Amino acid sequence: MKRYLSCFILFVLLFMASGCAEKNSNTAIGEVPSAVERSGDELDMLLDDDFLDDELSAEQDYYDPLEPMNRVFFEFNDKLYYWVLNPLNKVYSAVLPQDVRFSVGNFINNFAAPVRLINTLLQLKLNDAGAVLARFVINSTLGVYGFGDVAWRELGIKPREGDFGQTLGYWGVGEGVYLCLPVIGPSNIRDTVGFVTDSYSHPMVFFVDDFLVSAGYYSLERVNVLSLNPDAYEDLKKYSLDPYVSMRQVYLDYRRKKFDHNN
Amino acid sequence: MKTNIKHFLFLVFLFSVFGVDGAVGTPASPTDILRPTLQGMIDAIRDPALAGAEKKEERRRKIMEIASRGFDFTEMSRRVLGRTWQKISQEEREQFTQLFIKLLENTYVGKLEGYSGQEIIYKDERIKGKKAAVLTLVKHDGAAPFPVSYVMLNNGKGWQVYDLNIEGVSFLRNYRDQFKSILRKNKFAGLVKVLEEKNASFITGTGAAQ
């Protein structure tokens, strides 16, 4: 019964998202604000990156002793993508227009704000924590339950990040062995612990205590992200000589850059 | 080391010929250098005379010829191979460079072609010593624009691109890890084979299907 109620609430929220998106449709939704806004910092990161200046340096910058097992799960996830995720996305994208999916993405992000608040606080980043809190309050009210990002668009408060994997890193825990987890995908020991821990500080836990609903919500999040970047995985496969290595490199590099940048 | 001395001598020569003012006066910024190269490539992609699948070879030749003015392909190849570059012969280096240029064409130019008819917006530029980074956005109707950053190096012969950063992923770094993994198992000959196969997949359509 509770599950049906949750599904119903989800449906109502989606419905509201479409209404909300229509009102905002002229505010250039496809503009990836975060990517553009952070451009300056990203360029600095590119310039500070001198790994290739000396071809003899940094021969091995990952630790992947579980590669044979990881490759099995990589293949499993590959099948999962083509057999489940991608077909789901096709239907999802056909039913909901892109601006609605953007709003759904906003909602999902906003709903996870407590996770970011806790982790920015644990990393003693009070400015970021303040921004997370302000964004949550503004977007949950003026942004209609978080479907619109009013805080960024109207007030210029940029999104901040914080997860428990980063928090562990902040306090000196190493990233550990690289992992390719079934369903979840690329990770490492530190981020896996972070992922599990964060799931306990996610507000979802306080609303529903039902694995299937949580799994459903996680799936919605995954499909929504995929629907906004539909070519990402297939491009990776198309362009790489070894997709497993390519994905490992992308993941570790992405996480490290983000970490270095935030500290 | 030897090349450094050469560059230094070249600079000394420039200074003595043009004077300090002439050499430092109004240096072309990385964006100034990049813009005509990218615009030339985009124009070739848009050129109706070169459009269509049957003109692909001709179009790609034109695009890559323009690209070679702004991209330092040898520097890219050297950096992406890392230690192995020192171990292989001059012929092997040239063979690898050609294969790598072809891969760049199939991936990066192929991706740009998918966004044909769109414009490139220059968002930002940073310079740090001999290196520079230029952020561009490739605008595309109905989809999020995709960010491409160009990392450039000024080795005395002007700014030239040596790495691309597409949606946060370094082209060189990503391929270097893949090459390393292949080299460890199958040596240089194995890498050449895999590269040839990958490039061929874009011709037969298994890779080029879009």
Side-chain angles (χ1 to χ4, degrees):
Chain A
M1 196 56 220
K2 213 172 172 186
R3 193 182 305 159
Y4 289 119
L5 189 69
S6 308
C7 290
F8 177 72
I9 291 171
L10 207 60
F11 180 76
V12 171
L13 289 176
L14 282 178
F15 186 72
M16 288 196 304
S18 52
C20 184
E22 263 165 46
K23 268 177 253 155
N24 289 339
S25 59
N26 52 355
T27 52
I29 268 157
E31 256 198 33
V32 211
S34 53
V36 179
E37 196 60 13
R38 291 186 205 135
S39 70
D41 308 334
E42 256 160 42
L43 289 185
D44 281 342
M45 276 196 283
L46 292 182
L47 291 180
D48 289 337
D49 188 358
D50 49 7
F51 77 106
L52 288 163
D53 287 351
D54 176 6
E55 64 236 34
L56 300 180
S57 70
E59 261 311 291
Q60 179 118 0
D61 43 15
Y62 49 85
Y63 186 44
D64 190 7
L66 301 176
E67 187 172 331
M69 181 193 83
N70 284 338
R71 278 189 186 269
V72 172
F73 289 137
F74 180 85
E75 286 304 315
F76 172 81
N77 290 342
D78 186 71
K79 297 281 179 289
L80 189 75
Y81 174 86
Y82 285 107
W83 294 349
V84 183
L85 220 48
N86 203 32
L88 262 178
N89 171 41
K90 289 266 152 46
V91 177
Y92 182 73
S93 299
V95 174
L96 294 178
Q98 197 195 27
D99 40 7
V100 176
R101 287 181 270 125
F102 266 103
S103 298
V104 171
N106 283 339
F107 173 82
I108 290 169
N109 277 333
N110 188 62
F111 198 37
V115 175
R116 289 192 293 274
L117 181 64
I118 290 169
N119 285 296
T120 45
L121 285 173
L122 287 174
Q123 294 168 45
L124 313 177
K125 290 170 187 150
L126 298 183
N127 283 339
D128 284 357
V132 169
L133 190 63
R135 282 176 52 80
F136 182 66
V137 171
I138 294 165
N139 285 340
S140 300
T141 52
L142 298 174
V144 194
Y145 301 106
F147 283 111
D149 193 346
V150 185
W152 190 82
R153 280 183 205 288
E154 307 296 332
L155 302 168
I157 310 173
K158 282 183 274 176
R160 309 298 156 101
E161 301 192 37
D163 57 63
F164 199 67
Q166 288 175 345
T167 301
L168 289 173
Y170 179 86
W171 292 105
V173 179
E175 59 188 30
V177 171
Y178 174 77
L179 294 171
C180 185
L181 300 171
V183 183
I184 290 161
S187 189
N188 54 42
I189 300 279
R190 187 172 76 192
D191 288 338
T192 305
V193 173
F195 178 80
V196 174
T197 311
D198 284 337
S199 72
Y200 283 99
S201 62
H202 196 284
M204 200 67 192
V205 179
F206 299 99
F207 284 114
V208 275
D209 182 22
D210 185 327
F211 174 74
L212 280 177
V213 176
S214 296
Y217 185 78
Y218 177 72
S219 309
L220 172 72
E221 185 177 344
R222 281 286 293 271
V223 173
N224 195 64
V225 168
L226 174 64
S227 81
L228 297 174
N229 314 277
D231 301 328
Y233 184 66
E234 277 162 65
D235 275 359
L236 178 124
K237 286 204 55 175
K238 189 168 89 180
Y239 295 147
S240 53
L241 308 161
D242 186 341
Y244 171 80
V245 173
S246 182
M247 184 178 262
R248 180 179 68 196
Q249 192 277 333
V250 170
Y251 180 78
L252 292 177
D253 211 29
Y254 171 81
R255 289 293 290 175
R256 283 171 194 167
K257 267 193 190 142
K258 196 158 265 185
F259 181 75
D260 291 344
H261 180 56
N262 285 339
N263 290 298
Chain B
M1 200 56 221
K2 212 171 168 187
T3 49
N4 279 343
I5 294 170
K6 260 193 206 159
H7 289 149
F8 177 67
L9 288 177
F10 179 66
L11 276 179
V12 170
F13 169 74
L14 276 181
F15 275 79
S16 59
V17 172
F18 298 107
V20 176
D21 284 338
V24 185
T26 50
S29 77
T31 309
D32 291 341
I33 304 284
L34 187 64
R35 203 185 294 262
T37 306
L38 292 187
Q39 195 54 49
M41 291 165 71
I42 291 291
D43 287 345
I45 291 172
R46 281 189 194 152
D47 189 352
L50 295 171
E54 67 280 5
K55 293 277 180 62
K56 186 179 163 195
E57 218 168 295
E58 198 187 334
R59 179 175 68 238
R60 289 285 178 88
R61 207 181 308 122
K62 180 96 188 287
I63 294 170
M64 292 312 283
E65 188 210 307
I66 298 164
S68 67
R69 294 176 213 156
F71 289 69
D72 190 340
F73 292 136
T74 313
E75 182 70 21
M76 291 177 113
S77 308
R78 185 180 75 81
R79 285 175 183 250
V80 84
L81 264 196
R83 211 186 273 268
T84 306
W85 183 260
Q86 303 298 339
K87 293 184 193 152
I88 57 177
S89 70
Q90 191 57 38
E91 292 85 69
E92 284 172 326
R93 286 179 185 178
E94 269 156 36
Q95 181 192 19
F96 174 78
T97 306
Q98 288 312 313
L99 286 168
F100 190 59
I101 292 174
K102 197 74 192 165
L103 184 70
L104 185 74
E105 176 192 319
N106 284 327
T107 54
Y108 162 68
V109 175
K111 181 100 181 153
L112 271 189
E113 279 179 342
Y115 286 75
S116 66
Q118 309 308 322
E119 58 171 331
I120 293 181
I121 295 160
Y122 297 82
K123 292 297 288 187
D124 204 356
E125 170 193 291
R126 296 286 163 93
I127 302 173
K128 189 185 175 194
K130 289 201 303 182
K131 291 202 273 180
V134 178
L135 174 73
T136 69
L137 276 183
V138 183
K139 280 264 190 182
H140 185 50
D141 288 337
F146 83 94
V148 182
S149 295
Y150 296 85
V151 189
M152 301 170 84
L153 190 68
N154 193 344
N155 261 342
K157 49 190 173 181
W159 292 105
Q160 281 196 302
V161 177
Y162 75 87
D163 192 11
L164 298 162
N165 203 288
I166 301 175
E167 290 174 287
V169 179
S170 156
F171 190 82
L172 286 195
R173 204 196 261 266
N174 191 259
Y175 279 110
R176 199 181 64 147
D177 272 8
Q178 296 181 51
F179 292 172
K180 240 174 8 191
S181 156
I182 295 164
L183 283 166
R184 201 175 304 129
K185 277 177 249 152
N186 306 314
K187 307 292 169 225
F188 184 71
L191 177 62
V192 168
K193 191 164 161 278
V194 175
L195 272 170
E196 279 168 348
E197 280 167 8
K198 191 73 209 177
N199 282 331
S201 78
F202 287 91
I203 300 168
T204 55
T206 46
Q210 229 177 355

